[in-house]
Amino acid sequence: MDLIVSLTVNGLATGMLIFLLAAGLTLIFGLMSVLNFAHGGLFIWGAYAGVSIYAVTDSFLLAIILAIITGLVLGLITERLIIRPVYGNHIQQILITLGFMLVLQELIKVVFGPDQKAVYPPAWLEGSFQMGDVILIKYRLFIIAIGFLLFLIIFLILKKTRIGLIVRAGVMNREMVQTLGINIRFVFMAVFMVGAALAALSGVLHAPYSGVIYAEMGLEFSILAFIVVVIGGMGSFTGSLLAAILVGLAQAYMAYYVPALSLAVNMLIMTVVLIFRPQGLFKVKG
């Protein structure tokens, strides 16, 4: 039982980090129907920007704030210069965003250097709690709490506020929203920036979790985020959360019981879902 609790906490923490990255993709695809393969680049830029300010100020809160600002700025640049010219063309979106992903990855090496950077949790999140024979690491519990809190906040915004109503209406009928006097292009840009900020937040939170960051992490996690979005259902916010938890738990348990399958388990889950439920776990967007 102690082992099960430990593996479950580890899996939930991993799942929450993946969810923060996949949630941005889900928002972007759900409203804008944009396949953004540059999302991983926003993730790693958030990580490096946050870690850099963390190293200088020793303030993890400032690191999170700077990472979010970095995501918002890069999201604005990406939407206006990269995405806007290719709206409605998924093939061009894949090609241009994948190319931009590689550009962002190489710029990391230019700005921050090619070497890996070691990262440690802040002092107030170091250590662990012990409940009997179960050891719960503080930082993993922190990530789980942040993940569920952000899910609840975004879910309530989408379902209970006027902004959420506009976003959901834009998903169903963009032209109708535009005729009501709402600037749907501005809504698209704002949603893209929020998605980019979530990716950057995921990056800075992942840094102390993994203990090291490097430029190529962006591409690796971008692929993982797309797997989660496909499993959960393209455009389903709730589906992304459940799929991320499923993937995180599967990784944790496979890494302990069947290490040889720990890297392949995500693809296996996606394959099974696509065979039996091609639309993903949740067909309806929301």
Side-chain angles (χ1 to χ4, degrees):
M1 181 59 66
D2 298 339
L3 176 61
I4 290 175
V5 172
S6 297
L7 290 176
T8 300
V9 170
N10 293 345
L12 285 175
T14 301
M16 287 300 103
L17 288 171
I18 299 172
F19 164 69
L20 291 176
L21 183 60
L25 277 178
T26 299
L27 289 175
I28 291 169
F29 182 84
L31 177 61
M32 305 163 64
S33 189
V34 170
L35 294 171
N36 178 27
F37 277 82
H39 209 63
L42 306 174
F43 165 88
I44 196 59
W45 265 90
Y48 269 86
V51 167
S52 297
I53 197 67
Y54 180 39
V56 173
T57 65
D58 198 32
S59 172
F60 195 58
L61 179 59
L62 283 179
I64 291 175
I65 294 173
L66 181 62
I68 292 174
I69 293 174
T70 300
L72 290 171
V73 172
L74 285 177
L76 174 63
I77 294 172
T78 304
E79 195 277 335
R80 291 183 66 88
L81 301 182
I82 305 298
I83 300 298
R84 190 167 292 185
V86 293
Y87 275 132
N89 191 321
H90 285 167
I91 299 298
Q92 290 185 3
Q93 289 168 8
I94 292 172
L95 294 175
I96 194 169
T97 56
L98 185 57
F100 190 53
M101 163 74 232
L102 298 176
V103 170
L104 290 174
Q105 178 177 295
E106 293 306 310
L107 284 176
I108 285 287
K109 299 176 182 178
V110 172
V111 176
F112 300 101
D115 298 331
Q116 296 183 353
K117 294 185 181 296
V119 189
Y120 303 97
W124 53 281
L125 287 175
E126 287 183 339
S128 59
F129 299 108
Q130 187 163 353
M131 302 175 60
D133 294 328
V134 179
I135 297 177
L136 302 174
I137 298 175
K138 290 181 181 179
Y139 190 74
R140 291 175 180 172
L141 295 176
F142 170 74
I143 290 174
I144 294 172
I146 290 293
F148 278 115
L149 178 62
L150 285 176
F151 168 77
L152 182 61
I153 291 173
I154 297 175
F155 182 83
L156 290 177
I157 289 175
L158 289 175
K159 298 296 184 181
K160 302 295 184 180
T161 67
R162 184 174 183 273
I163 295 174
L165 178 63
I166 292 172
V167 170
R168 288 184 285 117
V171 173
M172 299 174 62
N173 193 322
R174 304 178 190 181
E175 290 76 15
M176 179 191 70
V177 173
Q178 189 74 44
T179 58
L180 292 175
I182 297 171
N183 188 344
I184 195 66
R185 179 167 290 184
F186 177 79
V187 174
F188 283 2
M189 183 180 68
V191 170
F192 196 98
M193 291 173 65
V194 171
L198 287 173
L201 175 61
S202 176
V204 73
L205 291 177
H206 185 272
Y209 180 77
S210 64
V212 65
I213 56 174
Y214 50 92
E216 289 76 14
M217 283 177 63
L219 184 57
E220 296 172 10
F221 275 82
S222 181
I223 295 172
L224 188 57
F226 269 100
I227 290 175
V228 165
V229 170
V230 170
I231 293 173
M234 299 294 283
S236 172
F237 189 66
T238 304
S240 290
L241 174 68
L242 296 179
I245 292 175
L246 175 62
V247 167
L249 291 174
Q251 281 190 345
Y253 278 88
M254 281 295 180
Y256 184 83
Y257 289 108
V258 192
L261 290 179
S262 61
L263 295 177
V265 65
N266 303 322
M267 297 299 296
L268 291 175
I269 294 174
M270 185 177 69
T271 301
V272 171
V273 170
L274 289 177
I275 290 174
F276 294 100
R277 192 172 174 83
Q279 69 271 30
L281 297 178
F282 281 69
K283 182 178 180 180
V284 180
K285 299 175 182 178

